[in-house]
Amino acid sequence: MSVIGSGNLRKMRSELHDEVQYFMPFYDGLIWKENVHMNPLIGKEISLDFEQQINCVVSGKSIKKAYGEGMSYEEFMKSPLASPSIIRPELSRIHEGIALRDEAWEREHHLQPHFTYLSLTSTVKVGVTRSTQIPTRWIDQGAVQGIILAETPYRQLAGLIEVELKAYVSDKTNWRNMLKNEYDKSLSLLEKKDEMLDLLPEAFHEFISDDDSVLEIRYPVLEYPNKVSSIKLDKQQRITGQLRGIKGQYLIFDSGVINIRSHAGYKVNLSLSE
């Protein structure tokens, strides 16, 4: 085995091509070191070795346990990256001049155009993201299709539209079915968009997007697993085996799957069998 990447993990970066291209970033605490192109490793024997060290992705401090996506408990409780309005966009109030945690950060990230969208993961899902995060958001969740439903000038408004539609479609992904590539292939997101718009209160109609294009997303997977077994570095400090594919933020091994995003801040060595 030869080490081809080492440092603290962050979520994988992606580029949309005929097939999604993935890059694994490695950091030295808070300082970016390198990206490793993961697609060429598919079909090869690789290993991830946990170095028994986690560094908070906000402060860089060494921590024993990570909260959220790689934060210390202190940062999880005060950082805008873990604000309640991240998970529930309808709670954002920065457009009223009211910050939940960090006014400057919330003005930069929440007081800007947002999309309410539909995506096809394990089923049709409704969600919210900044307009600059399409298609990254869809790729991160493992969606095979995505369509924009509404465009709003700030985050809370997109969240209110999402709340209306959650009565009819899920806002969650069944990650096991997503990784098995199980979904209703007869579903039409465009038809689902039309259906949702008929159910949307008139007060939101001015924000409906005229963009009816459906984005198709293909992932670099040699073979989808019949049974999904999750691997966590806290319990299994060395993951080794053939990399069978990548979807969402998951590496799919012949021995199980690991969510890289949920291991942000973990210090690891990535090695390739020679």
Side-chain angles (χ1 to χ4, degrees):
M1 285 281 187
S2 59
V3 176
I4 57 174
S6 65
N8 300 99
L9 293 174
R10 296 293 189 275
K11 77 163 189 157
M12 287 182 285
R13 296 172 183 170
S14 59
E15 293 179 2
L16 182 66
H17 296 277
D18 290 341
E19 200 171 65
V20 177
Q21 298 295 304
Y22 282 97
F23 302 85
M24 184 88 79
F26 289 95
Y27 282 70
D28 183 4
L30 299 179
I31 301 172
W32 174 78
K33 290 174 57 181
E34 59 183 335
N35 288 332
V36 174
H37 192 189
M38 297 299 293
N39 293 61
L41 302 181
I42 294 173
K44 298 181 179 180
E45 295 284 327
I46 67 171
S47 67
L48 275 177
D49 291 284
F50 180 33
E51 295 292 291
Q52 297 293 296
Q53 181 176 330
I54 308 172
N55 293 89
C56 173
V57 299
V58 177
S59 67
K61 292 180 180 178
S62 179
I63 55 178
K64 292 183 179 179
K65 180 180 178 180
Y67 295 82
E69 293 176 12
M71 286 179 257
S72 64
Y73 181 74
E74 179 184 10
E75 294 296 345
F76 182 70
M77 296 303 294
K78 71 178 185 181
S79 171
L81 295 173
S83 169
S85 56
I86 297 293
I87 301 299
R88 297 180 59 194
E90 71 274 14
L91 297 181
S92 175
R93 298 186 64 188
I94 194 62
H95 60 288
E96 303 174 42
I98 300 172
L100 299 186
R101 291 197 174 177
D102 185 312
E103 182 175 357
W105 190 95
E106 290 173 43
R107 284 189 176 278
E108 179 182 355
H109 293 87
H110 291 178
L111 200 58
Q112 61 167 277
H114 276 66
F115 289 145
T116 308
Y117 63 81
L118 296 177
S119 61
L120 181 55
T121 53
S122 56
T123 186
V124 176
K125 175 188 182 300
V126 62
V128 168
T129 193
R130 283 177 286 156
S131 60
T132 55
Q133 291 302 299
I134 296 295
T136 301
R137 181 72 185 105
W138 293 339
I139 293 172
D140 284 349
Q141 64 187 218
V144 295
Q145 293 181 354
I147 191 171
I148 297 166
L149 190 144
E151 182 174 0
T152 64
Y154 52 85
R155 186 172 181 82
Q156 187 211 43
L157 193 48
L160 292 174
I161 294 174
E162 180 189 36
V163 169
E164 292 289 339
L165 299 181
K166 282 196 291 188
Y168 310 103
V169 293
S170 177
D171 65 333
K172 301 288 191 299
T173 295
N174 183 318
W175 62 273
R176 292 183 186 276
N177 287 347
M178 179 273 288
L179 287 171
K180 290 189 286 186
N181 205 38
E182 291 183 353
Y183 62 92
D184 185 350
K185 295 174 177 60
S186 68
L187 280 170
S188 165
L189 275 193
L190 183 54
E191 289 179 4
K192 203 68 178 178
K193 174 178 176 177
D194 290 339
E195 179 186 332
M196 291 300 100
L197 295 184
D198 287 340
L199 298 167
L200 196 63
E202 189 174 345
F204 297 114
H205 284 192
E206 65 179 290
F207 304 106
I208 293 172
S209 173
D210 293 328
D211 185 353
D212 287 337
S213 59
V214 176
L215 181 66
E216 303 272 352
I217 304 172
R218 292 179 60 248
Y219 295 90
V221 179
L222 296 178
E223 181 182 15
Y224 288 100
N226 294 318
K227 183 179 179 181
V228 176
S229 176
S230 178
I231 306 170
K232 296 184 182 299
L233 290 175
D234 302 281
K235 296 181 179 180
Q236 185 173 326
Q237 294 161 23
R238 188 168 206 259
I239 300 171
T240 187
Q242 186 184 69
L243 182 63
R244 302 297 292 160
I246 310 173
K247 190 177 185 185
Q249 281 290 321
Y250 288 86
L251 297 184
I252 303 171
F253 286 86
D254 52 5
S255 57
V257 304
I258 178 172
N259 185 329
I260 296 300
R261 189 171 194 164
S262 69
H263 287 85
Y266 284 61
K267 188 174 183 181
V268 304
N269 290 322
L270 172 64
S271 303
L272 172 65
S273 180
E274 298 177 330

